[in-house]
Amino acid sequence: GAVVSQHPSRVICKSGTSVKIECRSLDFQATTMFWYRQFPKKSLMLMATSNEGSKATYEQGVEKDKFLINHASLTLSTLTVTSAHPEDSSFYICSAREPAPHSTLPDTQYFGPGTRLTVL
Amino acid sequence: AQSVTQPDIHITVSEGASLELRCNYSYGATPYLFWYVQSPGQGLQLLLKYFSGDTLVQGIKGFEAEFKRSQSSFNLRKPSVHWSDAAEYFCAVLKTSYDKVIFGPGTSLSVIP
């Protein structure tokens, strides 16, 4: 299947600093990427949908000024956690939607390996 | 509202035994269906997907899933479990190609040697 990478895999930062996480589709172009947050032993919570060349669409309850998303190219989306606090510590996972080979089929989402953020 | 349920929060099986993980969805029409697996501290890996056609779908790592329209189910199966299959398994549905994927709560699988 298609490959999605994330960088960094793990980051520790001090409270009040900003952290940038990159998500790349390595072997396909993704006009749409997604950012999820996962709490321990929980399912994935969709934070926002990232569209190349336009503003991200945030889910209800997600602070857009805190979680800045930029989809600069067809293979790169970034999530910046601004002024991070301990409650932002979590596992962040991105996914990219690989276009289906035919218009009659849906796209398939492929996931990155995740980024463990720890805010001290 | 569309939802996905995985009735079993946690399952333990012996290595070599068969496995079935349950998934049910609530939606009027047939959605697109997926199973993903997540190893500890890792992202999600796509095991298999169902879009249409044959209701028995083969995936990677020896997994298969069967779509049953009458039961609104998409259960995942494996005839013989390996210790490396211990992970979290997520069922997911997509209503249309332009919708968001909705994930079930997950089933944690433990494998006894």
Coordinates of all heavy atoms in Angstrom, one line a residue, chain A residues 23-93:
Chain A
C23 N 3.8 15.7 8.0 CA 3.2 14.5 7.4 C 3.4 14.5 5.9 O 3.1 15.5 5.3 CB 1.7 14.5 7.7 SG 0.8 13.1 7.0
R24 N 4.0 13.4 5.4 CA 4.3 13.4 4.0 C 3.8 12.1 3.4 O 3.9 11.0 3.9 CB 5.8 13.4 3.8 CG 6.5 14.7 4.2 CD 8.0 14.6 3.9 NE 8.7 15.8 4.4 CZ 8.8 16.9 3.7 NH1 8.3 17.0 2.4 NH2 9.4 18.0 4.2
S25 N 3.2 12.2 2.2 CA 2.8 11.1 1.4 C 4.0 10.8 0.5 O 4.4 11.7 -0.3 CB 1.6 11.3 0.6 OG 1.7 12.5 -0.2
L26 N 4.6 9.6 0.6 CA 5.9 9.4 -0.1 C 5.8 8.9 -1.5 O 6.7 9.2 -2.4 CB 6.7 8.3 0.7 CG 7.1 8.7 2.1 CD1 8.0 7.7 2.8 CD2 7.7 10.1 2.1
D27 N 4.7 8.2 -1.9 CA 4.6 7.7 -3.2 C 3.3 8.0 -3.9 O 3.0 7.4 -4.9 CB 4.9 6.2 -3.2 CG 4.0 5.5 -2.2 OD1 3.2 6.2 -1.5 OD2 4.2 4.3 -2.0
F28 N 2.6 9.0 -3.4 CA 1.4 9.5 -4.1 C 1.1 10.9 -3.7 O 1.7 11.4 -2.8 CB 0.2 8.6 -3.8 CG -0.2 8.6 -2.4 CD1 -1.3 9.4 -2.0 CD2 0.4 7.9 -1.4 CE1 -1.7 9.5 -0.6 CE2 0.0 7.9 -0.1 CZ -1.0 8.7 0.3
Q29 N 0.3 11.6 -4.5 CA -0.1 12.9 -4.2 C -1.4 12.9 -3.5 O -2.3 12.2 -3.9 CB -0.2 13.7 -5.5 CG 1.2 13.9 -6.2 CD 1.1 14.8 -7.4 OE1 0.1 14.8 -8.1 NE2 2.2 15.5 -7.7
A30 N -1.5 13.7 -2.4 CA -2.7 13.7 -1.6 C -3.2 15.1 -1.5 O -2.6 16.0 -0.9 CB -2.3 13.2 -0.2
T31 N -4.3 15.3 -2.1 CA -5.0 16.6 -2.0 C -5.6 16.8 -0.7 O -5.8 17.9 -0.2 CB -6.0 16.8 -3.1 OG1 -7.0 15.7 -3.0 CG2 -5.4 16.8 -4.5
T32 N -5.9 15.7 0.0 CA -6.5 15.8 1.3 C -5.7 14.9 2.3 O -5.4 13.8 2.0 CB -7.9 15.3 1.3 OG1 -8.7 16.0 0.3 CG2 -8.6 15.4 2.6
M33 N -5.4 15.5 3.4 CA -4.8 14.8 4.5 C -5.6 15.1 5.8 O -6.4 16.1 5.9 CB -3.3 15.3 4.7 CG -2.4 14.9 3.6 SD -0.7 15.3 4.0 CE 0.2 14.6 2.6
F34 N -5.4 14.2 6.8 CA -6.2 14.3 8.0 C -5.3 14.3 9.2 O -4.3 13.6 9.2 CB -7.2 13.2 8.1 CG -8.2 13.1 7.0 CD1 -7.9 12.3 5.8 CD2 -9.4 13.7 7.0 CE1 -8.7 12.2 4.8 CE2 -10.3 13.6 5.9 CZ -10.0 12.9 4.8
W35 N -5.7 15.0 10.2 CA -4.9 14.9 11.5 C -5.8 14.4 12.6 O -7.0 14.9 12.8 CB -4.4 16.3 11.9 CG -3.3 16.7 11.0 CD1 -3.3 17.5 9.9 CD2 -1.9 16.4 11.2 NE1 -2.1 17.7 9.3 CE2 -1.2 17.0 10.1 CE3 -1.2 15.6 12.1 CZ2 0.2 16.8 10.0 CZ3 0.2 15.5 12.0 CH2 0.9 16.1 10.9
Y36 N -5.3 13.4 13.3 CA -6.0 12.8 14.4 C -5.2 12.9 15.7 O -4.0 13.0 15.7 CB -6.2 11.3 14.1 CG -7.1 10.9 12.9 CD1 -6.6 10.9 11.6 CD2 -8.5 10.6 13.1 CE1 -7.4 10.6 10.5 CE2 -9.3 10.3 12.0 CZ -8.7 10.3 10.7 OH -9.5 9.9 9.7
R37 N -6.0 12.8 16.7 CA -5.4 12.7 18.1 C -5.9 11.4 18.7 O -7.1 11.1 18.6 CB -5.8 13.9 18.9 CG -5.1 14.0 20.2 CD -5.4 15.4 20.9 NE -4.8 15.4 22.2 CZ -4.9 16.5 23.0 NH1 -5.5 17.6 22.6 NH2 -4.3 16.5 24.2
Q38 N -5.0 10.8 19.4 CA -5.4 9.5 20.0 C -4.9 9.5 21.5 O -3.7 9.7 21.8 CB -4.8 8.3 19.3 CG -5.3 7.0 19.8 CD -4.7 5.8 19.0 OE1 -3.5 5.8 18.6 NE2 -5.5 4.7 18.9
F39 N -5.9 9.3 22.4 CA -5.6 9.2 23.8 C -5.3 7.7 24.1 O -5.8 6.8 23.4 CB -6.7 9.8 24.6 CG -6.9 11.2 24.4 CD1 -7.8 11.8 23.6 CD2 -6.1 12.1 25.1 CE1 -8.0 13.1 23.4 CE2 -6.2 13.5 25.0 CZ -7.1 14.0 24.1
P40 N -4.6 7.5 25.2 CA -4.3 6.1 25.5 C -5.5 5.2 25.5 O -6.5 5.5 26.1 CB -3.7 6.2 26.9 CG -3.1 7.6 27.0 CD -4.1 8.4 26.2
K41 N -5.4 4.1 24.9 CA -6.4 3.0 24.8 C -7.7 3.6 24.3 O -8.8 3.1 24.6 CB -6.6 2.4 26.2 CG -5.4 1.7 26.7 CD -5.7 0.9 28.0 CE -4.4 0.3 28.5 NZ -3.7 -0.6 27.6
K42 N -7.6 4.6 23.4 CA -8.8 5.1 22.8 C -8.7 5.1 21.3 O -7.7 4.9 20.7 CB -9.0 6.6 23.3 CG -9.3 6.7 24.8 CD -10.6 6.2 25.2 CE -10.9 6.5 26.6 NZ -12.2 5.9 27.1
S43 N -9.9 5.3 20.7 CA -9.9 5.4 19.2 C -9.4 6.7 18.8 O -9.0 7.6 19.5 CB -11.3 5.1 18.7 OG -11.3 5.0 17.3
L44 N -9.3 6.9 17.5 CA -8.8 8.1 16.9 C -9.8 9.2 16.9 O -11.0 8.9 16.6 CB -8.3 7.9 15.5 CG -7.0 7.2 15.3 CD1 -7.1 5.7 15.6 CD2 -6.5 7.4 13.9
M45 N -9.4 10.4 17.2 CA -10.3 11.5 17.2 C -9.9 12.5 16.1 O -8.8 13.0 16.1 CB -10.3 12.3 18.5 CG -11.2 13.5 18.6 SD -11.0 14.5 20.0 CE -9.5 15.5 19.5
L46 N -10.7 12.6 15.1 CA -10.4 13.5 14.0 C -10.3 15.0 14.5 O -11.3 15.5 15.1 CB -11.4 13.4 12.9 CG -11.2 14.2 11.6 CD1 -9.9 13.9 10.9 CD2 -12.3 14.1 10.7
M47 N -9.2 15.6 14.2 CA -9.0 17.0 14.6 C -9.4 17.9 13.4 O -10.1 18.9 13.6 CB -7.6 17.3 15.0 CG -7.1 16.5 16.2 SD -5.4 16.7 16.5 CE -5.3 18.5 16.9
A48 N -8.9 17.6 12.3 CA -9.1 18.5 11.1 C -8.8 17.8 9.8 O -8.0 16.8 9.8 CB -8.2 19.7 11.3
T49 N -9.3 18.4 8.8 CA -9.1 17.9 7.4 C -8.3 19.0 6.7 O -8.6 20.2 6.7 CB -10.4 17.7 6.7 OG1 -11.2 16.8 7.4 CG2 -10.2 17.2 5.2
S50 N -7.1 18.6 6.2 CA -6.2 19.5 5.5 C -6.3 19.4 4.0 O -6.1 18.3 3.5 CB -4.8 19.1 6.0 OG -3.8 19.8 5.3
N51 N -6.6 20.5 3.4 CA -6.8 20.5 1.9 C -5.7 21.3 1.3 O -5.4 22.4 1.7 CB -8.1 21.1 1.5 CG -9.3 20.2 2.1 OD1 -9.4 19.1 1.8 ND2 -10.1 20.8 3.0
E52 N -5.0 20.7 0.3 CA -3.9 21.4 -0.4 C -4.4 22.7 -1.0 O -5.4 22.7 -1.7 CB -3.3 20.5 -1.4 CG -2.0 21.0 -2.0 CD -2.3 21.8 -3.3 OE1 -3.3 21.6 -3.9 OE2 -1.4 22.6 -3.6
G53 N -3.7 23.8 -0.7 CA -4.0 25.1 -1.2 C -5.2 25.8 -0.6 O -5.6 26.9 -1.1
S54 N -5.8 25.3 0.4 CA -6.9 26.0 1.1 C -6.8 25.8 2.6 O -6.0 25.0 3.1 CB -8.2 25.5 0.5 OG -8.4 24.2 0.8
K55 N -7.7 26.5 3.2 CA -7.7 26.4 4.7 C -8.2 25.0 5.2 O -9.0 24.4 4.5 CB -8.6 27.5 5.3 CG -8.1 28.9 5.1 CD -9.0 29.9 5.8 CE -8.4 31.3 5.7 NZ -9.3 32.3 6.4
A56 N -7.7 24.6 6.3 CA -8.1 23.4 6.9 C -9.5 23.5 7.5 O -10.0 24.6 7.8 CB -7.1 23.0 8.0
T57 N -10.2 22.4 7.5 CA -11.5 22.3 8.1 C -11.4 21.6 9.5 O -11.0 20.5 9.5 CB -12.5 21.5 7.2 OG1 -12.5 22.1 5.9 CG2 -13.9 21.5 7.9
Y58 N -11.7 22.3 10.5 CA -11.5 21.8 11.9 C -12.8 21.2 12.4 O -13.9 21.6 12.1 CB -11.1 22.9 12.8 CG -9.7 23.4 12.6 CD1 -9.4 24.3 11.6 CD2 -8.6 22.9 13.3 CE1 -8.1 24.7 11.3 CE2 -7.3 23.3 13.1 CZ -7.1 24.2 12.1 OH -5.8 24.7 11.8
E59 N -12.7 20.1 13.2 CA -13.8 19.5 13.8 C -14.3 20.4 15.0 O -13.5 21.2 15.6 CB -13.5 18.1 14.3 CG -13.2 17.1 13.2 CD -14.3 17.0 12.2 OE1 -15.4 16.5 12.7 OE2 -14.1 17.3 11.0
Q60 N -15.5 20.2 15.4 CA -16.1 20.9 16.5 C -15.3 20.7 17.7 O -15.0 19.6 18.1 CB -17.5 20.5 16.7 CG -18.3 21.4 17.6 CD -19.8 21.1 17.6 OE1 -20.2 20.1 17.1 NE2 -20.6 21.9 18.2
G61 N -15.0 21.8 18.4 CA -14.2 21.7 19.7 C -12.7 21.8 19.5 O -12.0 21.8 20.5
V62 N -12.2 21.8 18.3 CA -10.8 21.8 18.1 C -10.4 23.3 17.9 O -11.0 23.9 17.0 CB -10.3 21.0 16.9 CG1 -8.8 21.1 16.7 CG2 -10.7 19.5 17.1
E63 N -9.4 23.8 18.6 CA -9.1 25.2 18.5 C -8.1 25.4 17.3 O -7.0 25.0 17.3 CB -8.3 25.6 19.8 CG -9.1 25.5 21.1 CD -8.3 25.9 22.3 OE1 -7.8 27.0 22.4 OE2 -8.0 25.0 23.1
K64 N -8.6 26.1 16.3 CA -7.9 26.3 15.1 C -6.6 27.2 15.4 O -5.6 27.1 14.7 CB -8.7 26.9 14.0 CG -9.4 28.2 14.3 CD -10.3 28.6 13.2 CE -11.5 27.6 13.0 NZ -12.4 28.0 11.9
D65 N -6.7 28.1 16.3 CA -5.6 28.9 16.6 C -4.5 28.2 17.4 O -3.3 28.6 17.4 CB -6.0 30.2 17.4 CG -6.9 31.1 16.6 OD1 -6.7 31.1 15.3 OD2 -7.8 31.7 17.1
K66 N -4.8 27.1 18.0 CA -3.9 26.4 18.7 C -3.2 25.3 17.9 O -2.0 25.0 18.0 CB -4.5 25.7 19.9 CG -3.6 24.9 20.8 CD -4.1 24.6 22.1 CE -3.1 24.0 23.0 NZ -2.0 24.9 23.2
F67 N -4.0 24.7 17.0 CA -3.5 23.6 16.2 C -3.5 24.2 14.7 O -4.5 24.1 14.0 CB -4.4 22.4 16.3 CG -4.4 21.8 17.7 CD1 -5.4 22.0 18.5 CD2 -3.3 21.0 18.1 CE1 -5.4 21.5 19.8 CE2 -3.3 20.4 19.4 CZ -4.4 20.7 20.2
L68 N -2.4 24.7 14.3 CA -2.3 25.3 13.0 C -1.9 24.3 12.0 O -1.0 23.5 12.1 CB -1.2 26.4 13.0 CG -1.5 27.6 14.0 CD1 -0.3 28.6 13.9 CD2 -2.8 28.3 13.7
I69 N -2.7 24.2 10.9 CA -2.5 23.2 9.9 C -2.2 24.0 8.5 O -2.9 24.9 8.2 CB -3.7 22.3 9.7 CG1 -3.8 21.4 11.0 CG2 -3.5 21.4 8.5 CD1 -5.0 20.6 11.0
N70 N -1.1 23.5 7.9 CA -0.7 24.0 6.6 C -0.5 22.9 5.6 O 0.2 21.9 5.9 CB 0.5 24.9 6.7 CG 0.9 25.5 5.4 OD1 1.7 24.9 4.7 ND2 0.4 26.6 5.1
H71 N -1.1 22.9 4.5 CA -1.0 21.9 3.5 C -0.3 22.5 2.3 O -0.9 22.9 1.3 CB -2.4 21.4 3.1 CG -2.3 20.0 2.4 ND1 -3.3 19.1 2.6 CD2 -1.5 19.5 1.5 CE1 -3.0 18.0 1.9 NE2 -2.0 18.3 1.2
A72 N 1.0 22.6 2.4 CA 1.8 23.4 1.5 C 1.9 22.8 0.1 O 2.1 23.5 -0.9 CB 3.2 23.7 2.0
S73 N 1.9 21.5 0.0 CA 2.0 20.9 -1.3 C 1.2 19.6 -1.3 O 0.6 19.3 -0.3 CB 3.5 20.5 -1.6 OG 3.9 19.4 -0.8
L74 N 1.2 18.9 -2.4 CA 0.4 17.7 -2.6 C 1.0 16.5 -1.8 O 0.4 15.5 -1.8 CB 0.3 17.3 -4.1 CG -0.6 18.3 -4.9 CD1 -0.6 17.9 -6.3 CD2 -2.1 18.1 -4.4
T75 N 2.2 16.7 -1.2 CA 2.8 15.6 -0.5 C 3.1 16.0 1.0 O 3.7 15.2 1.7 CB 4.0 15.1 -1.1 OG1 5.0 16.2 -1.3 CG2 3.7 14.6 -2.5
L76 N 2.8 17.2 1.4 CA 3.2 17.7 2.7 C 2.1 18.4 3.4 O 1.5 19.4 2.9 CB 4.4 18.5 2.6 CG 4.9 19.2 3.9 CD1 5.3 18.2 5.0 CD2 6.0 20.2 3.7
S77 N 1.8 18.0 4.6 CA 0.9 18.8 5.5 C 1.6 18.9 6.9 O 2.3 18.0 7.3 CB -0.4 18.1 5.7 OG -1.2 18.8 6.7
T78 N 1.5 20.1 7.5 CA 2.1 20.2 8.8 C 1.1 20.6 9.9 O 0.1 21.4 9.6 CB 3.2 21.3 8.8 OG1 2.7 22.5 8.4 CG2 4.3 20.9 7.8
L79 N 1.3 20.1 11.1 CA 0.5 20.5 12.2 C 1.4 21.2 13.2 O 2.4 20.6 13.6 CB -0.1 19.3 12.8 CG -0.8 19.4 14.2 CD1 -2.0 20.3 14.1 CD2 -1.1 18.1 14.8
T80 N 1.1 22.4 13.6 CA 1.9 23.1 14.6 C 1.0 23.3 15.8 O -0.1 23.9 15.8 CB 2.3 24.5 14.1 OG1 3.1 24.3 12.9 CG2 3.1 25.2 15.1
V81 N 1.5 22.8 16.9 CA 0.8 22.9 18.2 C 1.5 24.2 18.8 O 2.6 24.2 19.2 CB 1.0 21.7 19.1 CG1 0.3 21.9 20.4 CG2 0.6 20.4 18.4
T82 N 0.7 25.2 18.9 CA 1.2 26.5 19.4 C 1.0 26.6 20.9 O 0.0 26.1 21.5 CB 0.5 27.7 18.7 OG1 -0.9 27.6 19.1 CG2 0.7 27.6 17.2
S83 N 2.0 27.2 21.6 CA 2.0 27.4 23.0 C 1.5 26.1 23.7 O 0.4 26.1 24.4 CB 1.0 28.6 23.4 OG 1.1 28.9 24.7
A84 N 2.2 25.1 23.5 CA 1.8 23.8 24.0 C 1.8 23.8 25.5 O 2.6 24.4 26.2 CB 2.8 22.7 23.5
H85 N 0.8 23.0 26.0 CA 0.7 22.8 27.5 C 0.6 21.3 27.7 O 0.3 20.5 26.8 CB -0.6 23.5 28.0 CG -0.4 25.0 27.9 ND1 0.3 25.7 28.9 CD2 -0.9 25.9 27.1 CE1 0.2 27.0 28.6 NE2 -0.5 27.2 27.5
P86 N 0.8 20.9 29.0 CA 0.8 19.5 29.3 C -0.4 18.7 28.8 O -0.4 17.6 28.4 CB 0.9 19.4 30.8 CG 1.7 20.7 31.1 CD 1.2 21.7 30.1
E87 N -1.6 19.4 28.8 CA -2.8 18.7 28.3 C -2.8 18.4 26.8 O -3.7 17.7 26.3 CB -4.0 19.5 28.7 CG -4.1 20.9 28.2 CD -3.5 21.9 29.2 OE1 -2.7 21.6 30.0 OE2 -4.0 23.1 29.1
D88 N -1.8 19.0 26.1 CA -1.7 18.8 24.7 C -0.9 17.5 24.4 O -0.8 17.0 23.3 CB -1.1 19.9 23.9 CG -1.9 21.2 24.1 OD1 -3.1 21.1 24.0 OD2 -1.3 22.3 24.2
S89 N -0.3 17.0 25.5 CA 0.5 15.7 25.3 C -0.5 14.6 24.8 O -1.5 14.4 25.4 CB 1.1 15.3 26.7 OG 1.9 16.3 27.1
S90 N 0.0 14.0 23.8 CA -0.9 13.0 23.1 C -0.1 12.3 22.0 O 1.0 12.6 21.7 CB -2.1 13.6 22.6 OG -3.1 12.7 22.2
F91 N -0.8 11.4 21.3 CA -0.3 10.7 20.1 C -1.0 11.3 19.0 O -2.2 11.3 18.9 CB -0.5 9.2 20.3 CG 0.2 8.4 19.3 CD1 1.6 8.5 19.2 CD2 -0.4 7.5 18.4 CE1 2.3 7.7 18.2 CE2 0.3 6.7 17.5 CZ 1.6 6.8 17.4
Y92 N -0.3 12.0 18.1 CA -0.9 12.6 16.9 C -0.6 11.8 15.6 O 0.6 11.4 15.4 CB -0.4 14.0 16.7 CG -0.8 15.0 17.8 CD1 0.0 15.1 19.0 CD2 -2.0 15.7 17.7 CE1 -0.5 15.9 20.0 CE2 -2.4 16.5 18.8 CZ -1.6 16.6 19.9 OH -2.1 17.4 21.0
I93 N -1.6 11.5 14.9 CA -1.5 10.6 13.7 C -2.1 11.4 12.5 O -3.1 12.0 12.6 CB -2.2 9.3 13.9 CG1 -1.8 8.6 15.1 CG2 -2.0 8.4 12.6 CD1 -2.6 7.3 15.4

